């Protein structure tokens, strides 16, 4: 009897699975940019922490209701992870970012500082997370720095240089939280993660705002419009998409998307606040787009989806564990 070699049946890839990571990446850029716009809008009527307190009072109430309905089982390890993520990525990051915008740093410059996250992530991702940074990605990272610098170059002045310590401190909080999450690899679902972090942040922001005497009830209807904007687009959309992309891609490659946030923020600022975009900024947007394509195009072609991490045999996949 002659042994025959069985040819593997080719698997036909569908457009759906490939489109999901791309749509998640696009949604992250758009919604994350909305956070900076909402911060500028809301701080015109109130202090930064009062705005954040109202934002998380509403978002935290929704999160508490969702958790009561779902009643998820969360291990102690995952609970600690979500607590640290809330402190680093929401309380510290957003608190310092909003204070900086409240003191006059424009949304574009704040977004620029946030987009420096890839350099910090790439520096620590290799030794701490085992995520390899390729030469193509390194070039994309450096090109992205050039692009975002061009986008907001006109906003940098010697007078407000000290204020940059605020968003820089917030950026460090976001980096620490991101690396911590990838190191711990939580198994709790994304919706439960978002709700737990939002609830913890609500307690922190409301408590600090009340203790410092900043908790007020603004009379302007526009303030509550900005609050709803932040809850729906920034908390639900932006942070939700951040968690989705973080689990789909890993810390290094999702951070590359940060380079698209400053130009996107400037487009929104032009449409909503009539802030003009100069020729240098427009050229910087093109450079940012090239940087992202350079760093991710190979992943699109070779992995059947945007920024998908491969798993070794017997290793837990980094795909989302569900909403």
């Amino acid at each position: 009897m002659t042994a025959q070699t069985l040819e593997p049946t080719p698997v036909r890839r569908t457009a759906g699975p490939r489109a999901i990571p791309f749509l998640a990446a696009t949604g992250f850029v758009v919604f994350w940019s909305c956070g900076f716009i909402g911060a500028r809008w809301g701080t015109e009527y109130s202090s930064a922490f009062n705005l954040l307190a109202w934002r998380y009072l509403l978002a935290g109430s929704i999160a508490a209701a969702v958790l009561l309905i779902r009643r998820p089982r969360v291990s102690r390890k995952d609970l600690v992870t979500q607590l640290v993520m809330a402190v680093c990525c929401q309380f510290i990051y957003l608190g310092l970012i909003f204070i900086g915008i409240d003191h006059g740093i424009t949304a574009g410059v704040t977004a620029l500082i946030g987009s420096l996250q890839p350099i910090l992530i790439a520096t620590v991702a290799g030794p701490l997370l085992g995520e390899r940074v390729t030469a193509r990605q390194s070039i994309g990272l450096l090109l992205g720095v050039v692009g975002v610098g061009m986008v907001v170059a006109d906003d940098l002045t010697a007078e407000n240089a000290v204020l940059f310590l605020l968003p820089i401190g917030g950026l460090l909080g976001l980096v620490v939280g991101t690396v911590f999450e990838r190191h711990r690899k939580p198994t709790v679902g994304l919706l439960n993660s978002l709700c737990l972090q939002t609830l913890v942040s609500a307690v922190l922001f409301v408590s600090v705002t009340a203790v410092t005497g900043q908790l007020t009830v603004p009379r302007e209807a526009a303030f509550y419009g900005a609050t709803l904007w932040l809850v729906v687009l920034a908390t639900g959309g932006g942070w939700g998409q951040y968690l989705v992309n973080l689990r789909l891609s890993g810390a290094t490659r999702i951070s590359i998307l940060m380079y698209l946030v400053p130009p996107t923020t400037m487009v929104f600022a032009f449409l909503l606040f009539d802030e003009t975009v100069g020729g240098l900024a427009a050229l910087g947007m093109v450079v940012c787009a090239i940087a992202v394509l350079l760093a991710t195009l190979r992943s699109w072609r070779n992995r059947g989806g945007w920024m998908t991490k491969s798993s070794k045999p017997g290793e837990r996949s980094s795909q989302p564990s569900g909403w």
Side-chain angles (χ1 to χ4, degrees), residues 138-184:
S138 298
I139 296 174
L141 290 169
L142 295 176
L143 189 60
V145 172
V146 175
V148 294
M150 295 169 64
V151 168
V152 296
D154 294 337
D155 291 331
L156 301 175
T157 63
E159 290 76 11
N160 60 12
V162 177
L163 290 176
F164 292 154
L165 294 177
L166 291 170
I168 288 175
L171 169 63
L172 293 177
L174 180 61
V175 169
V176 170
T178 300
V179 174
F180 184 79
E181 195 274 351
R182 294 312 302 159
H183 176 70
R184 301 274 287 194

Side-chain angles (χ1 to χ4, degrees), residues 213-235:
Q214 300 180 63
L215 190 61
T216 61
V217 182
R219 297 181 178 179
E220 296 84 356
F223 170 83
Y224 299 100
T227 301
L228 288 174
W229 172 287
L230 288 169
V231 169
V232 176
L233 300 182
T235 300

Side-chain angles (χ1 to χ4, degrees), residues 279-303:
L280 183 61
L283 181 59
M285 294 181 188
V286 176
V287 174
C288 288
I290 295 174
V292 173
L293 288 175
L294 182 63
T296 62
L297 186 58
R298 188 174 181 181
S299 296
W300 280 341
R301 292 178 175 177
N302 293 351
R303 302 193 180 190

Side-chain angles (χ1 to χ4, degrees), residues 80-220:
V80 171
T81 301
Q82 302 310 313
L83 175 63
V84 173
M85 287 283 288
V87 172
C88 293
C89 297
Q90 297 198 40
F91 183 71
I92 294 177
Y93 172 69
L94 291 178
L96 295 180
I97 287 290
F98 275 55
I99 292 175
I101 292 177
D102 192 17
H103 283 76
I105 300 181
T106 64
V109 171
T110 307
L112 163 69
I113 295 174
S115 70
L116 297 178
Q117 186 205 32
I119 298 299
L120 298 177
I121 289 293
T123 301
V124 299
L128 293 182
L129 305 179
E131 296 182 9
R132 186 172 61 91
V133 181
T134 66
R136 183 191 295 265
Q137 286 177 325
S138 298
I139 296 174
L141 290 169
L142 295 176
L143 189 60
V145 172
V146 175
V148 294
M150 295 169 64
V151 168
V152 296
D154 294 337
D155 291 331
L156 301 175
T157 63
E159 290 76 11
N160 60 12
V162 177
L163 290 176
F164 292 154
L165 294 177
L166 291 170
I168 288 175
L171 169 63
L172 293 177
L174 180 61
V175 169
V176 170
T178 300
V179 174
F180 184 79
E181 195 274 351
R182 294 312 302 159
H183 176 70
R184 301 274 287 194
K185 293 181 173 60
T187 58
V188 63
L190 290 177
L191 179 57
N192 295 330
S193 297
L194 179 60
C195 289
L196 287 170
Q197 293 175 31
T198 300
L199 189 58
V200 171
S201 299
V203 173
L204 292 174
F205 279 120
V206 173
S207 299
V208 171
T209 306
V211 169
T212 56
Q214 300 180 63
L215 190 61
T216 61
V217 182
R219 297 181 178 179
E220 296 84 356

